[in-house]
Each structure stands twice: as C-alpha cells, then as structure tokens.
Amino acid sequence: MSRTSQRDLGSSGSPIEDELEDAFNRMVDEGTQRLHRSWREVLVTGFFGGTEVAMGVLAYLSVLHATGDHLLAGLAFSIGFLALLLGRSELFTEGFLIPITTVAAKRASGRQLLKLWSGTLVANLAGGWVLMWLIMRAFPKLHEQTVESASHFVTAPISVETVALSLLGGMAITLMTRMQHGTDSVFGKIAAAVAGAFLLAGLQMFHSILDSLLIFGALSTGGVPFGYLDWLGWFGYVLVGNVAGGLGLVTLLRLLRSKDRIEEERTEARRGNPPSGASSDDE
C-alpha cells in the first residue's frame, strides 16, 4: 500500500497505521522527558529500579526455594517488573526502544542517551546490591538457593548457548517494552510485564541486571567459589549480548518499520516544534 493511501485510509493522516502512530507518539513523548532528566533524576530513578527488581528477585528465590519450579518462580519475579511499571522507575535494559527512537527522531541527543544509559546502569547495580545484601540478612534460608541460582550464570563459560541466551534476554525485555507502549490499557501493560518476567526469569535467559543481583546476593553470603572479578567477566559479555539483542532484534526493526514517520518527526524537531504526541501542558 502506498504512503498516500495509508494517509487517506487512516484517521491520523500518518504514513504509518493509526495504532503504530499512537504507539510512536507515546514513545517519543515519554522518551523526550526521560532523556532530558538531570543526573540526579537519572541516578535516583535508576537506584529505585535496582531495588524494585531486587524485590522481584526475592519473590523468584522464595518460590524457587519452595517449589523448585523455574517457571512458577519466573511468574513470581513479575512483581519486579510490575513495580518498575507502576512506580515509573528505570531499568537499563528497558532503555533501548524508547530512547533510541527518541534520538532517531532528533528529540534528544546521543550525549543524553549515554547519560541515561550509564547513569541507569550504575544506579541499577548499586540499588540492587544494597537490597540484595538486606535480603540475604533477612532470609538466611534462601542462601543456598541464591548461591545455586547465581552459580548457574556466573560460572557459565562463553559459548554459543550463553551468547544466544544473552541475545534473547535483551530481545525479551525490549519486546516487553514494545508491548507496553503498544496499548493504553493498564491490564495490557501488566500482562506484558508478566509475560516478560516469565520468559526472562522462568526460562533462565541471561540478563545483565537481573542475574547480577542474584550473584550479588550469593557473594554477600560469603564462602562462594567465585568473586567480583568472575562476575565482571560474565557481566561484560552478557551486557553486550543484551544490547545487541535489544537493539538488533527489536529496536532497529521497529525503526525501519516507522522510517517515514521518524523522518517527519525529525523535520518537526528541526523547525522547533514540540513532539506530535505532546499535550498542551508540555508545550
């Protein structure tokens, strides 16, 4: 179907379908606000993101300790993603689709993107470390399960399997973000969070933040056969895999799908006009 006929048939007058237009506007509007945060706002929001994911890890470990079922434990971990969604905090690996789309639309700069990524990553790890230390002090019965779960990840050698799990981990959480911004329904957003948790934690995909919190918890118990240098080596290749999966398998394809709309938004940005989805209060 030609660009002209899409504009004529849709109510939005956009070169993409009306549903995609709505989702695009939500992403650019939200991304513009997120990327213009100060360092203080980035760090505080990221710290909360780490603590909220840690609460999901607590639920995951508790169910896994009681049942031994990774799939049920993955569903329990959705508490962490629901806290992120409803608390409006930030997780590093959620920062692929929305911020990249915003930068591509010229509503923010690459420097602002790097600030968001670096600040959120460090703050996620710091917040998660603090809460995992507290969790291990409060729930000594979970020590053995935490060490076992952490060892599964940190002792895994680089292989085709682990690299693939890292790619899929980045893809799964970026897909969750895409689903949540494809609907206005709160129920739909919650369903996407639960689905993302099931895939990521239930299937033991490799995720740089989630699994790091498991490793931090195990390290805080003492007497584990690995240390922070082992974590850092594991973290490096998993982080690269997550970024490659989130950007290459979801974000870039979404940008390609919305190429014409992005060009229009770039033109509006050069003219100094606000994002198309911005409310009058934002203007």
Side-chain angles (χ1 to χ4, degrees):
M1 184 174 291
S2 69
R3 184 189 305 180
T4 301
S5 58
Q6 281 184 316
R7 289 183 185 277
D8 291 341
L9 291 173
S11 61
S12 65
S14 172
I16 57 178
E17 289 91 336
D18 291 343
E19 291 82 0
L20 290 179
E21 171 68 15
D22 292 341
F24 179 86
N25 287 334
R26 282 193 292 268
M27 285 191 289
V28 172
D29 190 24
E30 179 182 328
T32 302
Q33 297 177 54
R34 286 166 63 180
L35 285 162
H36 284 81
R37 288 172 179 159
S38 66
W39 270 109
R40 175 180 57 84
E41 292 169 327
V42 168
L43 293 175
V44 171
T45 305
F47 189 90
F48 276 127
T51 61
E52 288 164 358
V53 170
M55 295 304 290
V57 172
L58 172 59
Y60 173 85
L61 289 170
S62 299
V63 172
L64 192 58
H65 173 73
T67 68
D69 191 318
H70 285 283
L71 297 180
L72 284 177
L75 290 176
F77 173 74
S78 64
I79 290 171
F81 282 168
L82 290 173
L84 285 172
L85 171 67
L86 301 177
R88 307 297 294 174
S89 50
E90 188 92 39
L91 186 64
F92 168 72
T93 46
E94 287 186 303
F96 298 151
L97 179 61
I98 297 170
I100 288 291
T101 301
T102 305
V103 171
K106 293 296 184 183
R107 292 299 180 179
S109 68
R111 185 174 180 178
Q112 289 171 311
L113 176 64
L114 291 177
K115 179 177 76 173
L116 178 71
W117 278 356
S118 60
T120 301
L121 178 61
V122 171
N124 281 167
L125 294 174
W129 189 96
V130 169
L131 213 67
M132 288 307 299
W133 186 90
L134 287 174
I135 288 170
M136 291 299 100
R137 304 287 80 75
F139 298 95
K141 68 179 182 179
L142 296 179
H143 285 191
E144 183 178 351
Q145 182 62 66
T146 303
V147 172
E148 179 185 337
S149 298
S151 299
H152 171 79
F153 297 103
V154 74
T155 62
I158 300 178
S159 64
V160 173
E161 179 183 358
T162 56
V163 170
L165 286 169
S166 300
L167 291 169
L168 289 172
M171 178 185 178
I173 195 163
T174 309
L175 179 61
M176 181 187 78
T177 305
R178 179 185 172 186
M179 289 190 293
Q180 288 176 337
H181 285 80
T183 178
D184 284 323
S185 166
V186 174
F187 177 80
K189 293 176 186 291
I190 290 173
V194 174
F198 178 82
L199 289 173
L200 198 63
L203 299 182
Q204 293 183 285
M205 294 180 183
F206 278 33
H207 186 267
S208 52
I209 304 299
L210 163 59
D211 303 335
S212 287
L213 301 197
L214 284 171
I215 296 167
F216 291 163
L219 287 168
S220 74
T221 66
V224 292
F226 50 83
Y228 282 99
L229 286 179
D230 298 302
W231 162 74
L232 192 60
W234 171 89
F235 179 77
Y237 82 83
V238 173
L239 181 66
V240 171
N242 287 169
V243 172
L247 294 182
L249 298 177
V250 179
T251 302
L252 293 182
L253 293 177
R254 184 59 181 266
L255 292 179
L256 182 62
R257 179 67 182 83
S258 304
K259 179 177 179 296
D260 293 334
R261 183 63 184 84
I262 289 172
E263 288 296 332
E264 287 188 352
E265 195 68 28
R266 290 164 69 99
T267 300
E268 292 299 311
R270 285 192 291 267
R271 292 173 178 170
N273 296 328
S276 301
S279 66
S280 57
D281 291 338
D282 296 329
E283 297 173 10

